[in-house]
Amino acid sequence: MTAWTDQFVGDRMAVDREFTERVAASEFSSQEWGTIMTAVEFEIEDPESPEQARVVADTSKVDQVLPAIESMREGMGMGGAPGAGGGGTNADGREGGAGSGSGLFGSIKDSLGLGGGGDEADHRAESAAALAEEYAQRFQEHLEEHGKWTRACEVAAATGDASRGEHAEESGGGVGSADEQPE
């Protein structure tokens, strides 16, 4: 559950601004990255121990947005999205992205299973996950640098308890009272 991030929206926005150069150097356009981020949730592993805790990116839903990214690239023409690594020139000198080709013929080949689009989609998913993990690390570093890491861990631990059906706020005793409830 990522409700803990709701209390750190300003920090996320700051990291977003800092991360734009990294996105520009990646194979994704800023629009594609924005789409990817709609499918990424950030969790804190081991929030009870801030010294050992870390922010991780749950990228299990990224596959769901890959078709939208492909549509964006197809809509931009054969070269792919501006600034994206998918454009450029193929080994044989033709313009187009990696994989089976672009545009109408590439789509037809992919739909018939002749284009190898699965490898390209797998690569894109792996690249998106790796970039999201970089973002998660930078988000944690930002929270640490600004003295907010311990608070983020506390909020994540409390939110995690609530996501398991234990509602500390409803018991009237604050965060610690969730442990006192019968199981």
Side-chain angles (χ1 to χ4, degrees):
M1 177 150 233
T2 61
W4 72 273
T5 60
D6 292 348
Q7 293 191 27
F8 300 94
V9 173
D11 298 287
R12 284 279 310 272
M13 291 172 66
V15 174
D16 287 348
R17 284 189 300 274
E18 295 169 12
F19 210 70
T20 56
E21 285 184 34
R22 177 61 187 100
V23 171
S26 77
E27 67 183 87
F28 301 107
S29 70
S30 59
Q31 183 180 9
E32 291 169 346
W33 176 244
T35 301
I36 290 166
M37 288 298 280
T38 65
V40 176
E41 294 182 6
F42 295 98
E43 301 169 355
I44 296 181
E45 286 183 346
D46 301 321
E48 296 82 12
S49 176
E51 303 79 31
Q52 295 176 352
R54 69 181 194 103
V55 176
V56 294
D58 176 358
T59 58
S60 62
K61 296 178 184 173
V62 167
D63 287 341
Q64 296 173 7
V65 299
L66 290 178
I69 290 173
E70 188 58 36
S71 293
M72 284 181 217
R73 289 182 177 204
E74 288 176 6
M76 297 302 293
M78 291 187 65
T89 306
N90 291 336
D92 62 2
R94 292 181 298 141
E95 285 189 32
S100 61
S102 300
L104 177 62
F105 294 115
S107 297
I108 293 170
K109 286 169 64 178
D110 286 344
S111 68
L112 294 173
L114 303 172
D119 289 342
E120 186 175 342
D122 289 345
H123 167 76
R124 216 172 260 136
E126 289 171 10
S127 295
L131 197 58
E133 280 299 331
E134 273 186 61
Y135 182 96
Q137 181 179 356
R138 182 62 199 119
F139 185 32
Q140 178 175 340
E141 290 168 359
H142 175 88
L143 292 171
E144 290 171 343
E145 290 167 3
H146 291 86
K148 298 180 180 182
W149 179 241
T150 300
R151 179 68 185 138
C153 289
E154 290 169 355
V155 172
T159 305
D161 290 343
S163 71
R164 289 189 297 271
E166 301 169 3
H167 302 282
E169 294 79 17
E170 292 176 11
S171 67
V175 174
S177 66
D179 294 334
E180 298 168 13
Q181 294 179 0
E183 293 188 27

